[in-house]
Structure formats: C-alpha cells, structure tokens
Amino acid sequence: MTAPANPLELVRRLAESEDNCVIYQPVMTELRHYGLDSDDLRDILCSELGEGHCFKSSPTRKYYPATVSDSYSIWINECGAKMYIKLLISGERLVITSFKKDERYA
Amino acid sequence: MPDLCSVCDTGTLTEQVVPFLLSHGSKEIMIEDHRTVCDACGAVSYVGEQISRHELAVASKIREMDGLLSADTLRRIRLKYKFRQTDLEAMLSVGPKTWTRWERGKVPQSKTADTLIRVLADDPEVARRLMQQARIDNPDAAEVFAAIDEDTKRLAEANLRTQIGLSTLDINPEDLAQRAIAAVRKARLEWREKAA
C-alpha cells in the first residue's frame, strides 16, 4: 500500500461534478467496453475508492509532467475484475488518464 | 488565454468538433464529436460537459443502429407501471444500477433486454408476472395493476352487457366478466407453459 499524493478527499470532492473532470479518450472507450459510463466511474471514485487501493504514486511522465499520478487497483463488480485506475489533480481539475483491467491479476 | 497542452507543453488545447468513427459490432458510423485536442501532439481528452455529450452521442447512435428504445421511452415505460429502477433490474435479472444506466442514456440496453422490455411494456400481464417472479413488493405498482384489472373487468362487463342486452335470461354480467377474465388468464398461462 502506498499513500496517494493527491488527497482522496480532494479527489472525491472534484469527482462529484463532471465539470471538474477531464477524462482521456482510452478511458471512455474502456468504460463503454464494460457497459459503464463516466457517472459510474465518478461514483466509484467518490464512494468506493480508498487509500488502501493505492499501490503507486509517481511523477507523471506522459501527461501533466509537473504533477504526480496515483495508481489504484480496485475490484469492480460490473467489470468482474480488478481494475487499474490512474489519476492526478491538476489545478482544480481531476484528470483520469487510465482505466483498464489490472493485468497483474489477469 | 488558451490552455497549453500539458503533454507536450507547446501545443494549444482547443475544443473541436470532429468526425469520430464509432465501431459497433460489425458496423461503423461517423458521429460529430466535441472534444479537446492539442494542436501539436494530438492528445484527445474530454473536459467537463464534453464527457456526457460524447457518451450520450455514442449511446444514441448505437440505439439508432440497433433499433433500440430510447432512454426517454424506458423511463416512460417504467413510470407507466410505477416501477422503481431497482424493480426492473430485478425483473430483468440484470446487475445493480443497470436500468439506471440505460435510463441515464449513456449506456444502451442489449437487444435481448430491449425485446423483453417491449413485451412487458405492451402486456401488463407479463410485467405483473415478472414482478411476481422477482418477488417485488411495490405497493404503487400493485395499485397500477389493480387499476388495470379494474379497467379490464369494466371492459369485459360492458362487452358482455352489449352481447346479452336483448336476452331475457337472468344473467349476472359482473360474474360472467370475472369468469371470462379468469378464463383468459388460464388460457394465457397454458399457452406460456406449452411454449416453454
């Protein structure tokens, strides 16, 4: 377990409203693949994600270079799998850069 | 001042409306996509209300391609019977929040579910049966079915009164209507069992 660099309280607050969110295209594609939508993802972030799900926190290499990304692994029933979620906070925006099956459990 | 791209640190982020090729099964169709794109590195993201706009456009196009009921129609069907979203999830044996998602419009229902929804929308007996099978306790929906029963009875009575209007026999139309309704239900049940 790793402590997330982006406080979960702030992640939850930002995730409450779509207006505060940025979602990358591959995340949208993957959500559709699992029959989920962005509201589900925001719900998961608000009510299911805990510090215990965070396993890595590292400077963002590709997107948003001046920020730190947190990587989470969480079981999502609808997906029937442990899912990998990567997010960061940039200014007043929650940026979700990754949502996919956690291959470590594949 | 326009936002700079955080990926390449040089490009400018702009909201664009560009054609998006949607692949669905063996079909492909183009939709207009509102997105944020970096003019230098081409990174694509959806910001704020672009997220829902994209999801609604995609789901709506899939519904159109597959000839599925719209999200609004699903809502109307549910409210007609005063079902809760969780009731329909139990009745259709789909996962939690699935009906909610369909009604929200961002995720289309499957063709199989769509077929069953059309049947229960058209036939209150199917809706009632699915409700009973799922052991749903919903007094509001029960009231709706009671009202439908009452209406069926009234129609049957009126029909019988017309049929026997000229008869001089001592006939109780209400009793006859009840028997007719019971006979219809029994026949439907036998037909279903035979079909199964």
Side-chain angles (χ1 to χ4, degrees), chain B residues 88-155:
Chain B
L88 280 150
E89 282 156 5
M91 288 161 64
L92 300 173
S93 299
V94 292
K97 296 189 199 166
T98 302
W99 182 278
T100 310
R101 250 172 239 132
W102 295 343
E103 228 181 75
R104 211 153 51 199
K106 296 179 178 181
V107 177
Q109 64 276 22
S110 66
K111 283 185 185 178
T112 314
D114 194 82
T115 305
L116 185 51
I117 294 164
R118 283 171 195 269
V119 174
L120 74 85
D122 288 343
D123 188 345
E125 283 302 320
V126 174
R128 188 206 315 258
R129 198 169 162 78
L130 287 172
M131 182 182 160
Q132 286 167 346
Q133 272 178 355
R135 297 181 182 187
I136 288 162
D137 180 22
N138 179 341
D140 292 335
E143 253 180 50
V144 171
F145 288 117
I148 291 171
D149 283 348
E150 188 56 38
D151 192 55
T152 308
K153 196 175 134 192
R154 213 175 292 136
L155 281 174

Side-chain angles (χ1 to χ4, degrees), chain B:
Chain B
M1 191 178 157
D3 288 337
L4 279 182
C5 177
S6 306
V7 178
C8 61
D9 252 352
T10 53
T12 305
L13 292 179
T14 51
E15 182 177 346
Q16 293 183 8
V17 183
V18 295
F20 170 67
L21 184 67
L22 170 66
S23 298
H24 175 60
S26 58
K27 299 174 204 161
E28 285 187 335
I29 197 158
M30 208 66 92
I31 61 167
E32 273 196 350
D33 196 33
H34 295 251
R35 50 170 66 173
T36 298
V37 183
C38 169
D39 63 6
C41 70
V44 176
S45 58
Y46 297 89
V47 180
E49 56 98 30
Q50 287 179 347
I51 299 168
S52 282
R53 192 190 289 203
H54 170 81
E55 291 177 308
L56 289 168
V58 167
S60 163
K61 202 44 97 175
I62 291 174
R63 284 191 155 106
E64 197 182 303
M65 281 195 277
D66 287 351
L68 304 175
L69 296 166
S70 71
D72 276 352
T73 307
L74 295 185
R75 185 164 184 276
R76 264 185 275 126
I77 291 169
R78 178 173 67 79
L79 294 179
K80 177 172 88 168
Y81 293 119
K82 293 194 179 170
F83 284 140
R84 298 162 294 213
Q85 293 176 329
T86 48
D87 294 341
L88 280 150
E89 282 156 5
M91 288 161 64
L92 300 173
S93 299
V94 292
K97 296 189 199 166
T98 302
W99 182 278
T100 310
R101 250 172 239 132
W102 295 343
E103 228 181 75
R104 211 153 51 199
K106 296 179 178 181
V107 177
Q109 64 276 22
S110 66
K111 283 185 185 178
T112 314
D114 194 82
T115 305
L116 185 51
I117 294 164
R118 283 171 195 269
V119 174
L120 74 85
D122 288 343
D123 188 345
E125 283 302 320
V126 174
R128 188 206 315 258
R129 198 169 162 78
L130 287 172
M131 182 182 160
Q132 286 167 346
Q133 272 178 355
R135 297 181 182 187
I136 288 162
D137 180 22
N138 179 341
D140 292 335
E143 253 180 50
V144 171
F145 288 117
I148 291 171
D149 283 348
E150 188 56 38
D151 192 55
T152 308
K153 196 175 134 192
R154 213 175 292 136
L155 281 174
E157 268 181 44
N159 186 276
L160 282 168
R161 277 183 207 282
T162 310
Q163 303 269 343
I164 61 174
L166 298 174
S167 169
T168 53
L169 295 171
D170 183 19
I171 293 170
N172 179 349
E174 198 176 324
D175 179 52
L176 272 180
Q178 278 299 352
R179 285 168 193 240
I181 292 166
V184 168
R185 285 204 181 128
K186 194 177 166 209
R188 276 183 182 160
L189 191 63
E190 283 170 1
W191 178 82
R192 271 192 214 107
E193 279 165 2
K194 208 186 250 180

Side-chain angles (χ1 to χ4, degrees), chain A residues 18-19 21-25 28 31-32 35-40 43 48 62-65 78 93, chain B residues 6-7 20 22 35 43-49 51-52 54-55 58 62 96-97 101 104 106-107:
Chain A
E18 179 181 74
D19 294 340
C21 296
V22 177
I23 300 184
Y24 274 77
Q25 196 178 40
M28 301 285 261
L31 284 172
R32 198 164 64 242
L36 299 175
D37 60 30
S38 58
D39 299 68
D40 292 311
D43 270 356
E48 291 181 39
K62 190 178 173 191
Y63 302 114
Y64 298 82
E78 287 87 344
R93 284 241 157 91
Chain B
S6 306
V7 178
F20 170 67
L22 170 66
R35 50 170 66 173
V44 176
S45 58
Y46 297 89
V47 180
E49 56 98 30
I51 299 168
S52 282
H54 170 81
E55 291 177 308
V58 167
I62 291 174
K97 296 189 199 166
R101 250 172 239 132
R104 211 153 51 199
K106 296 179 178 181
V107 177

Side-chain angles (χ1 to χ4, degrees), chain A residues 10-21:
Chain A
L10 182 56
V11 169
R12 288 185 194 118
R13 187 173 65 74
L14 293 173
E16 274 173 17
S17 166
E18 179 181 74
D19 294 340
N20 306 323
C21 296

